Amino acid sequence: MLKKIFTKIEKGINDFSNEELAQLEPFLDEEIIIRKDNNIFEINSKYKIATVKINKNTATLKDLSNEYKDIRIDFENLEGAYDNDLVLAKRVFNPRSRTKAKIIRILEGTRKEILVYKRDNKFYTIKENIELQIKKELEANENDVLLIDDKKFEIIKNLGNISDAKIDEQISLHLYNEEFRLQKPLNVEAKMDDTNERVDLTHLAFTTIDPASAKDHDDAIYYDEEGEILYVAIADVSYFVKEGSELDKLAFQKSTSAYLPGKVLPMLPNELSEDMCSLKEGVERYSYVFKIYLDIENKAILKSEVFEAIIKSRRKFSYGRIDRILDGKFDTFTQEEKAIFDTLVSLYEVTKSFRYERLKKGYDFRSVEYRLKLNRQSELEGIDIETSSPSHQLVEECMLLANIEASKKVNSVGIFRIHEEPAFKAISKLVDDVNALGIKAKLQNDVHDTITHIQKKAKHSVIKDEIDELIIHAQTQAKYSSKNLGHFGLGFTSYSHFTSPIRRYSDLVLHRMLKTKQTPKNIDEICDHISIQERKIDQMVWDFEDRKYARWAAKNLGAEIKVKITDDEKGACVAYGVVPGMKVYLDNYKGQVLFSKQKIVIKSSDIITKKIVGSLKY
């Protein structure tokens, strides 16, 4: 209530209830904080009432009514205040003109749990690495990681010591408020007991294509060459997860599965994600199927149907196996497998032609993903580099077709995956940046033509992958929306996520909408929440991975590695070769060219802050 009251005062509003006036009374008694003149309240100019905003490197007093009156505050002047606390601060005279302040009282704040660590008998927050002014003794050893009450400064839980690599998972989960994922999963009793008649497709040779290590298989494909019909079968998760159930509420809270190196924290319990909702080989499973009639000649879709069905996947294949098939290397096979392979080869030629047509409006970015491999001690032991191979593109194009068709079958207000066109300013800067790197590019008639023009110019350059990175960074972020604003990156006027309801809540919502023809009343809330969760989980995974890199670096001080410069202002670089993807800051950066390749020596590594420092070898 205090925040609301003081915001009124800041805005010159003098309409207070009796309850609000009672809340103000103690501040009037002090006279120095609140003044009352002609029945109008005002805050003494020597003081500031604001909310605290803690960022990684800064703390700010957020003004209650005017963002231009925000004040930066030094960490040592927080006096125990933390993020979102309402505080009373006193302005401090500063001869260098920038307004300074020191917090003298926390007016309003909810109890929060903060993750801290002990170093040199002091306690620092892990998230921002700021020292807390704790005036009491806390029982902890050097480098212990603690969860503490930010108001009473009492230990809630000792998570362990930073020397144990297995603590990294708990650190990342607590930092991003996702520790509830470690709780005992809900009991699930899933049965295939649908009383409604489903379309029986068990006679069709559906197959799944996934990473070799995959435990859940949420999509399967079958191609009818003669009829030129593509079937995309998706696990019918909405049958088992009823809207409004406890299972559904928890899935909404998570919004997505979290994929850590060597481990999945699933959105749904394993009984569903790895069993009843997984299209396992040789087992009948409920699925939600798109039957898509293709116009091969014109690279278009004639029509599509979506319905509840039963399928039986004939084979589960890895991407690697299918890549070999598409390359003409069939290895050993059964007669049934040979028939499936022949169909997949035919389907691949179809999807290639559709992909070629799609890229006239969309973009083909050369993306690389690093898959960290951990040993039994949860330490980094290797990194797999995953690129988009023919088998990935085969599956991707099939899923894109299903996603497009799904988006067309919902109401005008639905759940869409949108990606808005970048602003002119961002594209103009992109052109300037690539020109500075020697790629002579110019602004074209529109954004699409400009991007494809840059890609063509960079096609034979040694930094073509880095140019793609710059193009990606110039884009807006994709998100979920109840309004169809199109997908710029893919070149689609309408697009939704339909194909992964095991691991994405958006797809589960879309399945329900297609079945009921109804749009949830809180669809905007759903879209906002799952968009925020998606970004948060990405950041949590990056935090986890960066800490694994820092552990590796701490054990390899003095090692020589290869890097490329990725930030010519901060002197930051990214390793390639032995530990690809590891970020390093240089302590002797002298303006080396952006994206130039260098050799460095690892000087230091802080596992808590994840900061790795190296020196260039001249």
Side-chain angles (χ1 to χ4, degrees):
M1 179 180 282
L2 283 177
K3 182 178 179 180
K4 180 182 175 183
I5 294 170
F6 287 121
T7 301
K8 281 185 177 181
I9 294 175
E10 287 277 8
K11 292 182 175 180
I13 299 171
N14 205 42
D15 179 21
F16 297 101
S17 66
N18 290 333
E19 186 180 359
E20 288 173 331
L21 289 171
Q23 291 277 331
L24 273 176
E25 200 64 37
F27 297 97
L28 282 169
D29 289 344
E30 294 184 33
E31 293 183 352
I32 58 168
I33 300 171
I34 300 292
R35 292 172 176 166
K36 190 176 182 182
D37 188 16
N38 293 325
N39 286 325
I40 295 176
F41 295 98
E42 61 179 24
I43 299 171
N44 187 330
S45 60
K46 292 181 180 179
Y47 295 88
K48 185 174 186 67
I49 295 174
T51 55
V52 176
K53 178 63 179 175
I54 303 286
N55 294 314
K56 188 171 183 180
N57 300 311
T58 60
T60 307
L61 293 177
K62 303 291 290 183
D63 192 88
L64 298 179
S65 63
N66 188 342
E67 63 180 287
Y68 297 106
K69 293 183 180 180
D70 293 350
I71 298 176
R72 289 272 294 274
I73 184 169
D74 296 329
F75 286 139
E76 59 264 29
N77 291 332
L78 287 172
E79 294 299 316
Y82 202 62
D83 211 31
N84 293 322
D85 284 347
L86 183 72
V87 298
L88 172 67
K90 188 173 184 178
R91 299 176 191 271
V92 178
F93 173 71
N94 182 18
R96 295 181 181 177
S97 76
R98 185 171 72 87
T99 305
K100 298 188 76 175
K102 180 177 182 178
I103 292 173
I104 58 176
R105 191 189 309 172
I106 299 172
L107 300 178
E108 204 170 54
T110 57
R111 171 187 173 275
K112 290 182 284 290
E113 297 176 348
I114 307 178
L115 207 57
V116 304
Y117 69 100
K118 184 178 181 180
R119 179 175 290 174
D120 300 327
N121 289 319
K122 296 178 181 178
F123 292 90
Y124 300 84
T125 63
I126 287 185
K127 187 175 184 180
E128 305 87 7
N129 199 36
I130 62 174
E131 183 184 351
L132 293 180
Q133 305 300 318
I134 298 178
K135 309 242 181 336
K136 61 168 72 174
E137 284 291 326
L138 296 180
E139 271 193 45
N141 296 317
E142 183 79 353
N143 289 323
D144 272 0
V145 177
L146 313 169
L147 197 63
I148 68 166
D149 182 320
D150 78 323
K151 296 295 177 284
K152 297 180 180 178
F153 291 123
E154 294 176 348
I155 297 175
I156 298 169
K157 184 180 181 182
N158 187 323
L159 273 62
N161 196 276
I162 196 63
S163 61
D164 181 3
K166 293 179 181 178
I167 201 175
D168 295 343
E169 181 181 317
Q170 289 193 69
I171 290 175
S172 295
L173 287 169
H174 276 90
L175 283 178
Y176 289 90
N177 299 314
E178 292 290 318
E179 67 277 5
F180 67 90
R181 289 178 182 262
L182 298 178
Q183 295 172 2
K184 184 179 178 181
L186 294 174
N187 290 324
V188 176
E189 191 174 336
K191 295 180 181 179
M192 292 173 56
D193 54 4
D194 193 356
T195 56
N196 296 324
E197 186 175 352
R198 287 176 172 260
V199 178
D200 188 347
L201 298 180
T202 54
H203 61 289
L204 300 181
F206 279 94
T207 58
T208 61
I209 306 173
D210 292 292
S213 60
K215 294 181 180 179
D216 54 10
H217 308 278
D218 50 11
D219 58 75
I221 54 176
Y222 171 73
Y223 180 52
D224 175 357
E225 287 185 80
E226 187 177 340
E228 296 184 344
I229 301 170
L230 171 65
Y231 292 81
V232 177
I234 306 299
D236 194 357
V237 177
S238 64
Y239 177 78
F240 299 101
V241 182
K242 303 304 181 187
E243 188 172 4
S245 66
E246 290 303 309
L247 187 59
D248 180 48
K249 292 174 184 176
L250 185 57
F252 172 70
Q253 186 182 358
K254 293 179 180 179
S255 290
T256 180
S257 294
Y259 290 83
L260 300 175
K263 184 176 185 178
V264 179
L265 301 173
M267 183 179 79
L268 299 172
N270 289 338
E271 292 93 329
L272 291 178
S273 62
E274 295 181 12
D275 190 9
M276 293 303 291
C277 291
S278 183
L279 306 180
K280 300 166 77 171
E281 180 180 294
V283 181
E284 290 189 359
R285 285 287 180 258
Y286 285 173
S287 60
Y288 203 27
V289 177
F290 254 107
K291 186 177 182 180
I292 304 172
Y293 298 80
L294 302 175
D295 180 348
I296 305 296
E297 185 178 347
N298 295 305
K299 315 297 183 292
I301 296 172
L302 296 171
K303 63 177 181 177
S304 67
E305 306 166 13
V306 63
F307 48 83
E308 294 164 301
I310 300 177
I311 73 160
K312 181 192 286 187
S313 172
R314 299 295 173 85
R315 291 289 186 274
K316 65 171 183 178
F317 294 117
S318 67
Y319 285 122
R321 179 81 188 275
I322 300 304
D323 278 330
R324 292 195 297 277
I325 298 302
L326 298 179
D327 194 33
K329 300 169 184 174
F330 284 72
D331 302 331
T332 59
F333 51 81
T334 65
Q335 187 173 353
E336 182 178 42
E337 285 175 337
K338 181 61 168 66
I340 292 172
F341 292 156
D342 289 343
T343 302
L344 289 176
V345 170
S346 176
L347 177 60
Y348 177 58
E349 293 304 315
V350 172
T351 57
K352 267 203 307 186
S353 65
F354 272 70
R355 177 182 171 83
Y356 177 81
E357 193 68 23
R358 173 173 71 80
L359 292 178
K360 290 180 180 179
K361 293 182 179 179
Y363 306 97
D364 182 18
F365 295 119
R366 294 169 283 268
S367 60
V368 174
E369 289 190 31
Y370 301 118
R371 304 291 184 190
L372 276 60
K373 296 187 295 183
L374 308 180
N375 59 23
R376 290 184 179 181
Q377 288 73 45
S378 195
E379 294 175 334
L380 184 62
E381 69 171 6
I383 301 169
D384 289 332
I385 300 176
E386 189 175 287
T387 57
S388 180
S389 67
S391 63
H392 286 83
Q393 292 173 11
L394 165 64
V395 174
E396 181 184 50
E397 294 304 316
C398 292
M399 298 306 119
L400 289 176
L401 291 174
N403 287 340
I404 293 168
E405 290 305 294
S407 72
K408 295 176 182 177
K409 293 184 184 298
V410 294
N411 300 326
S412 57
V413 176
I415 184 164
F416 300 95
R417 182 68 170 176
I418 66 166
H419 182 231
E420 297 175 87
E421 183 176 301
F424 173 79
K425 184 178 179 181
I427 296 302
S428 181
K429 182 180 183 303
L430 171 64
V431 171
D432 290 342
D433 288 343
V434 299
N435 273 289
L437 293 170
I439 306 297
K440 301 304 179 185
K442 297 179 181 178
L443 282 169
Q444 303 298 304
N445 294 328
D446 57 32
V447 173
H448 178 270
D449 288 349
T450 300
I451 291 176
T452 52
H453 164 69
I454 291 171
Q455 286 189 309
K456 286 178 183 177
K457 287 282 187 177
K459 187 175 182 180
H460 301 295
S461 167
V462 294
I463 58 169
K464 61 181 183 298
D465 292 343
E466 288 79 6
I467 296 298
D468 268 357
E469 287 178 30
L470 289 178
I471 294 172
I472 291 169
H473 289 150
Q475 309 270 332
T476 59
Q477 193 159 27
K479 61 183 180 180
Y480 295 100
S481 171
S482 63
K483 299 176 182 64
N484 181 18
L485 302 178
H487 198 294
F488 174 76
L490 292 173
F492 299 147
T493 55
S494 182
Y495 188 67
S496 290
H497 273 167
F498 170 85
T499 53
S500 295
I502 287 179
R503 61 184 180 89
R504 288 191 306 229
Y505 193 80
S506 58
D507 306 50
L508 176 56
V509 173
L510 182 57
H511 281 214
R512 290 172 179 157
M513 292 172 66
L514 290 170
K515 288 181 180 183
T516 64
K517 309 299 182 187
Q518 299 292 317
T519 302
K521 292 180 179 178
N522 63 334
I523 189 63
D524 287 324
E525 177 193 333
I526 292 172
C527 290
D528 288 344
H529 174 75
I530 60 180
S531 294
I532 292 169
Q533 272 295 104
E534 177 186 42
R535 291 192 288 272
K536 188 174 79 165
I537 297 306
D538 283 344
Q539 291 166 351
M540 182 185 78
V541 173
W542 296 333
D543 177 81
F544 181 86
E545 292 178 341
D546 286 345
R547 198 162 280 109
K548 293 304 179 189
Y549 279 125
R551 286 189 183 279
W552 183 92
K555 285 196 170 186
N556 289 274
L557 298 179
E560 182 180 299
I561 61 172
K562 297 176 182 179
V563 301
K564 65 178 179 181
I565 306 297
T566 53
D567 190 324
D568 54 2
E569 292 182 5
K570 297 178 181 178
C573 55
V574 172
Y576 65 95
V578 179
V579 278
M582 184 174 79
K583 293 189 284 288
V584 183
Y585 292 89
L586 302 173
D587 63 0
N588 61 342
Y589 179 68
K590 294 286 197 256
Q592 279 72 18
V593 177
L594 186 65
F595 299 134
S596 64
K597 294 180 178 179
Q598 309 286 337
K599 288 183 180 180
I600 70 166
V601 173
I602 300 174
K603 297 289 289 294
S604 66
S605 178
D606 189 322
I607 296 170
I608 290 285
T609 63
K610 304 162 296 180
K611 186 171 184 179
I612 304 166
V613 176
S615 292
L616 285 162
K617 289 195 70 179
Y618 291 112

